[in-house]
Amino acid sequence: MKILVINTGSSSLKYKLFDMNGNRAMTGGIVERIGEKESGISHMVFSKDGKETVYIKKKIVDQNQGMHEVVSFITDVKTGVIDAIKEIDAIGHRVVQGGEKLKTAILINDEVKKTIRDNNKLAPLHNPSNLTGIEVAERIFPGKPNIAVFDTNFHQTMPDKAFLYGLPYELYEKYKIRKYGFHGTSHKYVVKEASRLMGKATDRINLITLHLGNGCSACAVKKGECVDTSMGMTPLAGMMMGTRSGDIDPAIVGYLLENTDMDIRQLNRMMNKESGLKGICGLNDMRDIHAQAQKGNEKATLALEMFSYHIKKQIGAYFAVLGTVDAIVFTAGIGENDHIIRSKVCDNLSSFGVEVDLKKNKVSSSNPYLIHSESSRVQVWVIQTDEELQIAREAVQVLGKD
Ligand code: ADP
């Protein structure tokens, strides 16, 4: 069975084609800067000798044209992996906000599209583009099933004591203001992987999963299910991130509105795009920040310290939530690659039973690996996330059910 996974943003379209007989990625890529002057497509060609990226610059006006370009690439005699689109069995879509109604991956029909649209207010930067991707796919692959997998799905098991805010209850009833959490597909993938690697059934495993990329979130996982997560009603909440502030005193918003020239749009932009690591040291790529810190840039060093401190505090909170923790899992760009952040985060956690072996931690591998010392009560894993594969797997499950 072949599943095409697509993730449509406002100016990009990421895609990956899977042969599910063997969970193998056949190809993938990204259409970037859609609607801008300098659009282009990076397309991956996998061969026996490894992978190679083909890049073409081309003006792409919208997602529809972008998807047509993707189809040309994947069916082309040189860059392609299939002869015709009829070989694709289904399309799996990443959709950010499922709200409370869409708790699991689902076959898309008009009613599901309406519910996604109803959730636009909760995810104005993402859901409308995700919906565009769905409509484009329906036109380009007529008659093929489309399945939506939501970033919020994995967190729908949180109890109300964890997902409600200390605000008037009517705000939840009337406007659905609550914590939803994001990166759920990634957290779910690494939970399954950790369970497989540790040889322990998913429903018997307690984990703290740390997705540390440009966006960062932590998840407390009890018996395989999410019981709390750090992001909130939007992805702005929780730990400090690349350009997002994470949690701040909510009164700061009112203070800035009253005492500066900023309006609410500028304020939102500042908290989402100009804060976090970037706000502290002017840079948001972790590799650049390390390079600057090594040169003695004090703001870069401060940004690293703050970033690690936020994660450490989150781990402490989730130990309290879970009681017992079998493993901590690091994933995503920083979690998978940055041994300095990992060791800062886990430093001084021995009273929680977490001890990292500095030598093992420095290992770099494209396969999952353990970084704890022999005396550590809690395992510490580095596991490469694969959100697209998780979406493809869930699409197959949905098709099986139908
Ligand atoms: P996204 O949230 O956009 O999917 P990623 O998971 O790709 O983000 O993570 C991006 C982050 O990972 C960036 O801050 C980048 O600097 C960091 N990163 C990637 N590779 C490394 C590395 N080798 N060492 C440290 N940080 C890295």
Side-chain angles (χ1 to χ4, degrees):
M1 180 177 264
K2 294 192 178 68
I3 307 282
L4 178 65
V5 173
I6 65 175
N7 177 358
T8 317
S10 57
S11 64
S12 69
L13 194 167
K14 288 187 197 149
Y15 62 97
K16 216 166 185 181
L17 180 64
F18 287 93
D19 182 350
M20 296 310 285
N21 305 327
N23 289 332
R24 187 174 64 88
M26 300 171 77
T27 185
I30 179 166
V31 187
E32 283 176 303
R33 292 186 289 276
I34 296 173
E36 293 174 28
K37 265 190 197 158
E38 295 259 302
S39 0
I41 307 162
S42 298
H43 174 78
M44 200 76 86
V45 183
F46 291 92
S47 69
K48 273 184 220 134
D49 311 322
K51 54 185 182 180
E52 186 196 336
T53 305
V54 183
Y55 179 77
I56 58 153
K57 251 190 197 173
K58 185 168 185 175
K59 173 112 183 97
I60 312 257
V61 294
D62 58 13
Q63 277 79 2
N64 193 56
Q65 188 194 347
M67 198 66 231
H68 276 289
E69 297 292 343
V70 171
V71 167
S72 305
F73 261 113
I74 60 182
T75 54
D76 181 81
V77 269
K78 273 197 191 139
T79 58
V81 287
I82 54 172
D83 293 328
I85 54 172
K86 65 172 193 280
E87 290 178 41
I88 297 171
D89 295 287
I91 301 98
H93 296 264
R94 178 207 179 197
V95 183
V96 166
Q97 179 56 272
E100 286 190 325
K101 283 192 187 156
L102 299 168
K103 286 186 191 291
T104 57
I106 193 165
L107 189 65
I108 297 169
N109 56 25
D110 288 344
E111 201 187 324
V112 171
K113 280 193 282 181
K114 183 184 173 307
T115 313
I116 295 173
R117 201 169 294 118
D118 291 344
N119 287 329
N120 279 357
K121 257 196 190 152
L122 288 170
L125 302 177
H126 297 100
N127 269 32
S129 318
N130 300 155
L131 204 53
T132 303
I134 291 168
E135 286 167 348
V136 164
E138 285 175 334
R139 280 199 296 277
I140 296 182
F141 309 101
K144 300 284 181 186
N146 285 274
I147 295 99
V149 181
F150 301 89
D151 272 27
T152 47
N153 283 164
F154 185 60
H155 307 300
Q156 280 295 307
T157 45
M158 279 187 288
D160 50 7
K161 68 178 177 189
F163 73 66
L164 284 173
Y165 292 118
L167 289 167
Y169 194 81
E170 302 86 77
L171 293 182
Y172 167 57
E173 292 176 310
K174 216 171 160 188
Y175 303 108
K176 293 291 165 210
I177 290 186
R178 52 159 284 180
K179 177 186 277 202
Y180 291 96
F182 300 88
H183 293 145
T185 312
S186 172
H187 288 290
K188 187 170 179 179
Y189 178 83
V190 296
V191 168
K192 299 268 173 216
E193 274 294 280
S195 143
R196 180 181 70 78
L197 292 159
M198 292 166 74
K200 205 166 174 182
T202 312
D203 60 3
R204 291 186 51 221
I205 209 167
N206 283 8
L207 302 170
I208 297 172
T209 52
L210 301 166
H211 177 109
L212 309 176
N214 280 315
C216 299
S217 66
C219 195
V221 178
K222 192 166 199 163
K223 298 183 176 175
E225 291 189 338
C226 169
V227 291
D228 206 348
T229 191
S230 58
M231 282 179 165
M233 184 176 100
T234 76
L236 183 56
M239 305 178 295
M240 171 178 166
M241 312 179 207
T243 62
R244 297 188 194 122
S245 62
D247 288 346
I248 58 166
D249 180 340
I252 293 170
V253 173
Y255 183 91
L256 290 175
L257 285 176
E258 276 185 8
N259 293 290
T260 70
D261 295 339
M262 272 190 274
D263 61 21
I264 191 66
R265 275 173 165 259
Q266 288 166 318
L267 202 54
N268 269 327
R269 193 190 141 70
M270 186 267 283
M271 291 188 295
N272 277 287
K273 304 267 183 210
E274 303 296 334
S275 298
L277 294 168
K278 190 173 180 195
I280 297 297
C281 71
L283 299 164
N284 62 288
D285 189 299
M286 197 47 102
R287 289 162 290 199
D288 299 339
I289 298 173
H290 281 300
Q292 280 302 313
Q294 269 163 18
K295 283 186 195 156
N297 179 328
E298 286 175 9
K299 292 273 177 59
T301 304
L302 174 63
L304 293 177
E305 293 300 326
M306 287 175 69
F307 185 79
S308 316
Y309 179 66
H310 277 216
I311 303 165
K312 187 191 279 287
K313 278 204 298 185
Q314 199 63 67
I315 291 177
Y318 287 166
F319 262 97
V321 166
L322 293 169
T324 52
V325 174
D326 298 302
I328 294 175
V329 180
F330 284 91
T331 195
I334 298 169
E336 291 166 26
N337 296 298
D338 195 329
H339 66 91
I340 300 173
I341 293 291
R342 288 196 302 254
S343 75
K344 277 183 187 298
V345 164
C346 295
D347 182 41
N348 212 12
L349 289 184
S350 53
S351 57
F352 290 91
V354 179
E355 287 167 33
V356 160
D357 178 315
L358 296 180
K359 241 186 179 172
K360 289 185 192 166
N361 183 36
K362 277 196 180 164
V363 169
S364 168
S365 166
S366 54
N367 292 315
Y369 56 101
L370 286 165
I371 60 168
H372 58 269
S373 66
E374 279 181 15
S375 54
S376 185
R377 276 201 317 275
V378 175
Q379 297 192 9
V380 186
W381 282 91
V382 176
I383 299 181
Q384 297 72 21
T385 193
D386 195 337
E387 288 158 287
E388 293 88 3
L389 177 57
Q390 182 63 29
I391 291 173
R393 281 179 178 161
E394 293 190 34
V396 172
Q397 270 171 16
V398 169
L399 293 174
K401 273 185 210 145
D402 281 298

